């Protein structure tokens, strides 16, 4: 664990938005939402597409293309939409959504997918 | 003939089994060394150096291969021929001497110790980043400017750990944010809606 001593006159207030975005993208979605409250620069960084693109699953394009009802202005909106509105995938045999805090994939199987062996 | 061409020429002449025999002591451990460098050393050819000039006009001489391996900016300057070894120094007007020395130390250590085990490298990195937040900020700006990916990732990870699990007011203190840029109404609304974050 690296320990950094915090002192007076720290220059971090000049941190470019891109650098803040890189730090935020290393956290989890829940932390990114709270970091957006730190300052207007943090909000801009924390809500950028570059951050939320990293929180979305790598195959989100394939998943989203199976639903016709998606049009989101930003990657954050897309993320929140996938958390709040499950979509049917795999020819309606499964529903998919994201866990809001951590971005984990959640699948629900339809009864047709289950069989007793 | 540029160092890169010499290396490629030598590599082409060497049998592949020779690589297994090319070991040398580095920092107390035996490290596999690229055979072309050993041959160059045996031929008496010194490793090529480049000159970096800090914002305080102090010149630092450093092995070309060290900076080329770590800094995308310097690698591009060497490859596209805009750096002339006989005459030039690379001016780094936004990096002071203290920070530049630390950046060079980082790159040099990681080049010469890249075969060390992960634990030793991490321990070295932890000691390297044992600085105050002004120093950390200066290193971040320098690594960002020179595009040194592994140093940037190390610093981003450190900053993330500094703010992980902290409340908003504490994060503002860490980053010395005196003016958060929200209107009083926005700030009040945020505090009302998310009191647990403050």
């Amino acid at each position: 664990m690296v320990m950094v001593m915090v002192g007076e006159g720290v220059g971090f207030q000049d941190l470019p938005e891109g650098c803040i975005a890189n730090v935020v993208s290393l956290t989890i979605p829940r932390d990114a939402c709270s970091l957006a409250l730190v300052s207007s620069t943090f909000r801009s960084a924390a809500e950028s597409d570059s951050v939320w693109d990293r929180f979305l699953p790598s195959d989100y394009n394939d998943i989203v293309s199976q639903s016709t009802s998606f049009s989101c202005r930003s990657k954050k909106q897309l993320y929140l939409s996938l958390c709040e509105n499950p979509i049917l995938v795999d020819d309606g045999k499964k529903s998919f959504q994201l866990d809001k805090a951590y971005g984990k994939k959640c699948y629900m199987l339809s009864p047709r997918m289950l069989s007793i062996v | 003939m540029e160092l890169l061409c010499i290396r490629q020429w030598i590599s082409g002449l060497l049998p592949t089994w020779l690589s297994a025999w090319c070991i040398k002591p580095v920092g107390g451990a035996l490290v596999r060394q690229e055979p072309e460098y050993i041959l160059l050393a045996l031929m008496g050819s010194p490793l090529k150096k480049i000159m970096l000039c800090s914002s305080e006009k102090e010149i630092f001489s450093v092995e070309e291969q060290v900076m080329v391996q770590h800094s995308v900016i310097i690698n591009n300057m060497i490859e596209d021929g805009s750096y002339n070894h006989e005459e030039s120094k690379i001016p780094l007007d936004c990096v002071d001497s203290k920070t530049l020395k630390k950046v060079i130390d980082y790159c040099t250590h990681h080049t010469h110790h890249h075969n060390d085990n992960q634990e030793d490298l991490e321990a070295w990195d932890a000691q390297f980043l044992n600085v105050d937040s002004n120093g950390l900020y200066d290193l971040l700006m320098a690594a960002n400017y020179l595009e040194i990916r592994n140093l940037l990732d190390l610093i981003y990870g450190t900053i993330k750990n500094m703010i992980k699990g902290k409340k908003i007011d504490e994060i503002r203190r860490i980053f010395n944010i005196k003016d958060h840029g929200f209107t009083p109404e926005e700030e009040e609304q945020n505090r009302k809606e998310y009191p647990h974050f403050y």
Side-chain angles (χ1 to χ4, degrees):
Chain A
M1 172 76 140
V2 177
M3 300 298 290
V4 174
M5 293 150 290
V6 176
E8 290 287 323
V10 172
F12 277 134
Q13 71 269 26
D14 299 328
L15 218 48
E17 189 182 302
C19 288
I20 300 176
N22 283 322
V23 174
V24 175
S25 66
L26 294 174
T27 65
I28 57 173
R30 184 185 58 198
D31 291 347
C33 291
S34 75
L35 288 170
L37 305 172
V38 170
S39 73
S40 51
T41 310
F42 265 74
R43 180 175 58 192
S44 189
E47 295 191 343
S48 64
D49 275 358
S50 61
V51 167
W52 291 89
D53 195 61
R54 299 232 203 140
F55 292 150
L56 285 163
S58 52
D59 57 349
Y60 76 89
N61 271 321
D62 294 333
I63 295 165
V64 164
S65 65
Q66 297 183 48
S67 166
T68 50
S69 58
F70 264 91
S71 76
C72 297
R73 284 199 311 270
S74 69
K75 294 275 163 73
K76 182 180 177 184
Q77 267 197 340
L78 175 60
Y79 180 93
L80 293 174
S81 196
L82 286 171
C83 294
E84 287 153 13
N85 308 300
I87 58 175
L88 288 176
V89 295
D90 207 11
D91 286 329
K93 289 186 230 147
K94 294 179 203 156
S95 90
F96 168 89
Q97 72 185 118
L98 285 178
D99 160 67
K100 204 165 190 174
Y102 296 94
K104 305 251 186 243
K105 292 186 195 178
C106 306
Y107 286 98
M108 267 209 294
L109 305 178
S110 82
R112 282 182 285 154
M113 291 224 55
L114 304 172
S115 60
I116 297 171
V117 178
Chain B
M1 207 177 182
E2 288 304 320
L3 186 64
L4 198 58
C5 300
I6 296 173
R7 281 188 59 189
Q8 284 165 346
W9 176 66
I10 294 173
S11 291
L13 299 177
L14 295 171
T16 48
W17 55 260
L18 185 60
S19 298
W21 291 92
C22 290
I23 52 174
K24 68 169 197 172
V26 175
L30 286 176
V31 170
R32 195 184 78 77
Q33 176 67 45
E34 286 78 0
E36 49 270 35
Y37 278 110
I38 293 189
L39 268 181
L40 279 172
L42 289 172
M43 281 157 53
S45 169
L47 288 170
K48 228 169 197 157
K49 299 265 177 116
I50 56 174
M51 305 294 185
L52 304 181
C53 182
S54 74
S55 58
E56 291 143 312
K57 307 301 174 208
E58 193 176 340
I59 312 283
F60 293 83
S61 171
V62 58
E63 284 174 39
E64 177 186 297
Q65 61 146 337
V66 162
M67 293 316 296
V68 153
Q69 273 175 25
H70 286 92
S71 164
V72 171
I73 294 295
I74 293 180
N75 178 63
N76 291 348
M77 286 176 85
I78 306 280
E79 284 212 335
D80 72 17
S82 53
Y83 178 74
N84 178 322
H85 286 86
E86 270 68 46
E87 295 168 14
S88 302
K89 37 192 187 305
I90 299 178
L92 301 173
D93 294 333
C94 44
V95 186
D96 64 25
S97 295
K98 181 172 148 206
T99 307
L100 184 52
K101 181 172 187 321
K102 278 205 67 104
V103 168
I104 291 171
D105 282 348
Y106 176 87
C107 298
T108 306
H109 182 86
H110 277 262
T111 295
H112 292 162
H113 292 257
H114 69 275
N115 284 333
D116 282 11
N117 71 52
Q118 198 54 31
E119 257 177 45
D120 290 342
L121 282 172
E122 282 174 10
W124 191 93
D125 285 346
Q127 185 53 40
F128 173 79
L129 280 188
N130 191 13
V131 294
D132 63 19
S133 12
N134 277 326
L136 187 65
Y137 175 81
D138 290 340
L139 274 172
L140 175 57
M141 291 296 104
N144 192 42
Y145 178 71
L146 290 167
E147 291 184 47
I148 302 174
R149 187 79 255 154
N150 48 355
L151 180 55
L152 274 171
D153 288 345
L154 177 68
I155 298 174
Y156 287 142
T158 301
I159 297 175
K160 179 206 90 179
N161 290 335
M162 279 162 71
I163 61 178
K164 192 164 67 171
K166 299 266 184 355
K167 303 279 186 194
I168 305 284
D169 291 326
E170 198 168 344
I171 296 175
R172 283 175 178 167
R173 268 195 300 278
I174 290 171
F175 283 89
N176 200 29
I177 295 170
K178 298 201 163 51
D179 175 14
H180 47 64
F182 297 128
T183 64
E185 294 75 28
E186 276 177 322
E187 175 72 0
E188 192 187 330
Q189 178 62 27
N190 287 343
R191 284 185 184 264
K192 214 183 278 181
E193 216 172 315
Y194 309 103
H196 46 285
F197 285 142
Y198 292 84

